[in-house]
Amino acid sequence: MLKGKTALVTGSTSGIGLGIAKALAAQGANIVLNGFGDIEGPRAEVAALGVQVAYHGADMSKPAEIEDMLKFAAAQFGRVDILVNNAGIQHVARIENFPVERWDAIIAINLSSAFHATRLALPAMQKANWGRIINVASVHGLVASAEKSAYVTAKHGVVGLTKVTALENATTGVTCNAICPGWVLTPLVQKQVDARAAAGGISNAEATKQLLGEKEPSLQFTTPDELGALAVFFCSPAGNNVRGVAWNMDGGWTAQ
């Protein structure tokens, strides 16, 4: 379905980003990966799906590096047809104790990077009259949790940016939508599970059960594969008039 298209997925060397990149690659899209840590493993996983894969290590807190990444993607594949703004970090603390530098980093990476990548990708999409911008927000773009002020603020901002981008391009072939996952067992969430287990002197399994039980009625994690399938839907003809939605995949979290 996406043969001949190019998808740039930020924060895609693991977790949700990698899951979405693989789902788009399975539909034939060439992929530009971005992120830290192991690069060759994810690159091989995506390449095994029979598409071309490139990698750019832009620091998503730096607008100049984001601009360089978009230029790199265009040089490699012509243009970016599908932009998935997924890069994100987390820090947990009460507002009065929240380190200012952590606030600044989370806003930069979780929110501002989506704006910069979007503004740079839009002109080519508009010229071609086809494009998909998919912002990975969070259930925390719709509701809040204590001790996550920066993350919740950034993700609410991503949902707002999604709506404005969709409206500004509503009469074109360019759409913008947000995916709002609940708990997904990514390295970021695994750290929270581990910390809970250590703090409570309980097993990892019990910590996982507690974590899900507090928020997610389904008592199960959403998977990167499921999120990837939703991203593919947004890119399909069925998604042509889906514009500006914040689509939660949260096991009933926000239905409560």
Side-chain angles (χ1 to χ4, degrees), residues 80-130:
V80 173
D81 302 283
I82 301 161
L83 170 64
V84 182
N85 290 308
N86 168 72
I89 58 172
Q90 175 66 288
H91 184 81
V92 178
R94 288 178 58 89
I95 292 170
E96 63 270 26
N97 300 322
F98 212 96
V100 171
E101 67 276 8
R102 298 308 297 160
W103 170 277
D104 290 343
I106 289 170
I107 297 300
I109 293 172
N110 295 29
L111 175 56
S112 296
S113 72
F115 163 73
H116 291 301
T118 296
R119 70 176 175 83
L120 293 162
L122 271 172
M125 292 180 178
Q126 290 163 341
K127 187 176 179 181
N129 200 37
W130 196 94

Side-chain angles (χ1 to χ4, degrees), residues 12-14 18 22 33 37-48 53:
S12 52
T13 49
S14 67
L18 181 57
K22 287 166 68 175
L33 295 171
D38 176 30
I39 295 157
E40 293 311 315
R43 189 201 297 265
E45 285 185 52
V46 177
V53 188

Side-chain angles (χ1 to χ4, degrees), residues 48-60:
L49 296 166
V51 299
Q52 296 181 64
V53 188
Y55 168 81
H56 193 285
D59 179 338
M60 297 306 293

Side-chain angles (χ1 to χ4, degrees), residues 196-247:
R196 181 181 286 253
I202 56 177
S203 70
N204 217 269
E206 182 58 31
T208 298
K209 186 178 176 183
Q210 283 185 14
L211 189 79
L212 290 169
E214 286 174 5
K215 302 282 190 179
E216 196 142 350
S218 67
L219 298 180
Q220 63 187 44
F221 288 108
T222 300
T223 69
D225 287 350
E226 289 166 349
L227 298 170
L230 180 55
V232 168
F233 164 72
F234 286 147
C235 295
S236 74
N240 282 348
N241 209 30
V242 180
R243 298 171 184 266
V245 306
W247 193 310

Side-chain angles (χ1 to χ4, degrees), residues 23-207:
L24 296 173
Q27 293 294 327
N30 295 320
I31 303 293
V32 180
L33 295 171
N34 158 262
F36 299 108
D38 176 30
I39 295 157
E40 293 311 315
R43 189 201 297 265
E45 285 185 52
V46 177
L49 296 166
V51 299
Q52 296 181 64
V53 188
Y55 168 81
H56 193 285
D59 179 338
M60 297 306 293
S61 68
K62 298 178 178 175
E65 293 191 24
I66 296 171
E67 185 170 358
D68 188 68
M69 179 172 63
L70 269 292
K71 287 177 179 174
F72 167 81
Q76 290 288 309
F77 298 118
R79 69 186 176 91
V80 173
D81 302 283
I82 301 161
L83 170 64
V84 182
N85 290 308
N86 168 72
I89 58 172
Q90 175 66 288
H91 184 81
V92 178
R94 288 178 58 89
I95 292 170
E96 63 270 26
N97 300 322
F98 212 96
V100 171
E101 67 276 8
R102 298 308 297 160
W103 170 277
D104 290 343
I106 289 170
I107 297 300
I109 293 172
N110 295 29
L111 175 56
S112 296
S113 72
F115 163 73
H116 291 301
T118 296
R119 70 176 175 83
L120 293 162
L122 271 172
M125 292 180 178
Q126 290 163 341
K127 187 176 179 181
N129 200 37
W130 196 94
R132 295 291 185 266
I133 298 172
I134 300 169
N135 294 324
V136 179
S138 165
V139 67
H140 284 118
L142 304 170
V143 295
S145 290
E147 301 192 353
K148 296 183 178 180
S149 56
Y151 190 84
V152 169
T153 299
K155 294 303 188 179
H156 271 67
V158 167
V159 171
L161 176 64
T162 299
K163 293 176 181 179
V164 174
T165 306
L167 289 175
E168 290 183 1
N169 294 277
T171 60
T172 76
V174 180
T175 72
C176 181
N177 294 290
I179 298 175
C180 299
W183 288 122
V184 183
L185 193 56
T186 62
L188 205 65
V189 171
Q190 187 61 56
K191 284 183 182 178
Q192 294 185 54
V193 173
D194 294 343
R196 181 181 286 253
I202 56 177
S203 70
N204 217 269
E206 182 58 31

